[in-house]
Every structure is written in C-alpha cells, then in structure tokens.
Amino acid sequence: MAGTKSPEDAYTAAPFVPDGADLGALREAAAGCRGCPLHRDATQTVFGAGDPDARAMLVGEQPGDQEDRQGKPFVGPAGKVLDRALDEAGIDPDETYITNAVKHFKFTYVPERGKRRIHKPPSLRELAACGPWLAAEVELIGPEVIVALGATAGKALLGSSFRVTQQRGTRLEGDASGPARGALIVPTIHPSAVLRADDREAAYEGLVADLRVAAEALG
Ligand code: URA
C-alpha cells in the first residue's frame, strides 16, 4: 500500500555507533551491531582494515564467504585481483584502508549448490542502515580519495542514482551530508566482476585504468 512503512524503514546502525570513538572502539562496537537483520545469519561483523593514516580508502560491497569466516575484508579471490591492480596502478595496497558498504555477509542457499552459501546483494535499505559505520570510518581516516568498488559501493557513497557503467573512472565529489563527507570519489568496477568477465584481461585492464585515475588524484 502506498505510503505504508515497512519494518525495513527502521533499519539503522546509528544507535550502535559510539560518539567520539577511535577506530579500535568503533570496530569493537560494530561487532555488536544489530541495526538490521543481516547479523543473524552472518558469522561476524567484518569491519574495515588497513592503514589508519591512509590517503586512499577503498570501499567494496559486503564481505564474501571467506571474509565472513576470517573477519577481514577482501581476503578472498577478489582481494587478490584488487591488490595486483592497485600495485599496477601505482597505489601500494599496504598504504590503503579497505572496508565494505555493508559489514555483514548476506547470502542464500540454492538447492543445486548444496551447502554452499551464495552471495545475495544487500537491499538499498540495508545499505542505508550500515551507512553510519561507513561515515564514521571516512571521518576517522579522512582519505584524500575514496575508490568505490562496484555499483553497491557507488550507491552507498553517491546515492541510488549512481551507475557504475557511466561513471567509472571519473572524479566525483561525495555529497557532504552522505557517508563520503564531500571527499573525492573515483568509482570503478568491483574486482569480482573481473573474475566473472568473459574477457578477464580486458576487464582487469579497465580496473587498472580506473585505479590510475585515483593514483593521479593522489599525486
Ligand atoms: N567483495 C566485497 O565487496 N568485499 C569483500 O570484502 C570481499 C568481496
């Protein structure tokens, strides 16, 4: 019914995000986040990791199966592609901070895949619910450039009208009132799109080219 509020409208991490916390305290608090139902099936919260003084911050979609088990972002196959591409673009992966727009793994089971947990994209409301964690990370890291990895990260940082195919490899300004706090954003494809592409080499080269835009912005 038009105008009816769904329970998802009430999803928000805001009450779980402590004021004035440092990164360690934020990570601890995020472990207990119950701001949306995704915590119920996930193993744990996967908070951001990396250099707290990073000039470049990378934002993915949500943890995958391996990240959910290990509690760290981008430790699976997509992370390996990303590290190689960053290096090739002239950005030292060890000097970045990496996180996800959504901090819990969302998945489903499909009968033909047995016990395998199959990634499910987060809804816009789950994305918005997790926004306060991302905003707090951006605030504390204060990056010069944020690389949005894929459509979900782009929507989290730039709004729901973001289109990765049209806006990748460009320099954009994050909305001052959104999680990006006015920082410079360079969107690109998600590294897992390279792994799924028919022409992996071309997709990988495209990722590197976009990351070079971020590297140039860093000077
Ligand atoms: N994909 C993501 O978006 N994030 C991860 O941490 C792993 C895979």
Side-chain angles (χ1 to χ4, degrees):
M1 214 180 0
T4 303
K5 283 206 162 216
S6 93
E8 278 198 43
D9 288 320
Y11 295 174
T12 177
F16 298 90
V17 181
D19 281 339
D22 63 12
L23 217 47
L26 216 55
R27 180 177 286 106
E28 255 176 57
C33 186
R34 304 287 180 261
C36 83
L38 294 185
H39 69 90
R40 289 189 200 144
D41 295 330
T43 308
Q44 57 192 314
T45 304
V46 179
F47 202 69
D51 182 356
D53 301 317
R55 296 172 62 212
M57 177 163 169
L58 301 145
V59 181
E61 183 195 76
Q62 62 167 344
D65 180 78
Q66 295 193 35
E67 289 77 15
D68 172 72
R69 293 174 200 276
Q70 295 185 41
K72 293 189 195 121
F74 283 97
V75 289
K80 291 197 177 63
V81 172
L82 180 61
D83 278 358
R84 188 157 70 90
L86 281 167
D87 213 38
E88 207 167 317
I91 299 173
D92 183 347
D94 292 337
E95 292 179 2
T96 65
Y97 179 87
I98 187 153
T99 192
N100 284 300
V102 169
K103 309 294 194 246
H104 283 109
F105 180 36
K106 183 175 179 181
F107 60 92
T108 188
Y109 293 103
V110 290
E112 60 274 21
R113 314 255 330 237
K115 291 203 171 131
R116 219 171 136 182
R117 302 186 300 172
I118 309 299
H119 161 277
K120 248 186 124 176
S123 68
L124 283 178
R125 282 171 180 156
E126 288 156 350
L127 202 55
C130 221
W133 292 118
L134 186 58
E137 287 174 292
V138 172
E139 182 102 25
L140 282 171
I141 304 293
E144 288 168 42
V145 176
I146 303 177
V147 178
L149 299 165
T152 302
K155 286 184 201 300
L157 292 161
L158 291 154
S160 59
S161 61
F162 172 77
R163 294 289 173 270
V164 69
T165 45
Q166 289 159 25
Q167 291 170 286
R168 62 180 292 188
T170 61
R171 295 179 182 209
L172 302 167
E173 196 182 312
D175 186 348
S177 62
R181 312 269 155 152
L184 175 68
I185 300 169
V186 176
T188 183
I189 55 168
H190 194 283
S192 64
V194 172
L195 298 169
R196 287 194 308 265
D198 291 333
D199 187 343
R200 282 192 188 190
E201 201 44 46
Y204 175 76
E205 288 309 327
L207 173 63
V208 172
D210 294 345
L211 291 173
R212 284 204 178 103
V213 175
E216 275 159 29
L218 289 167

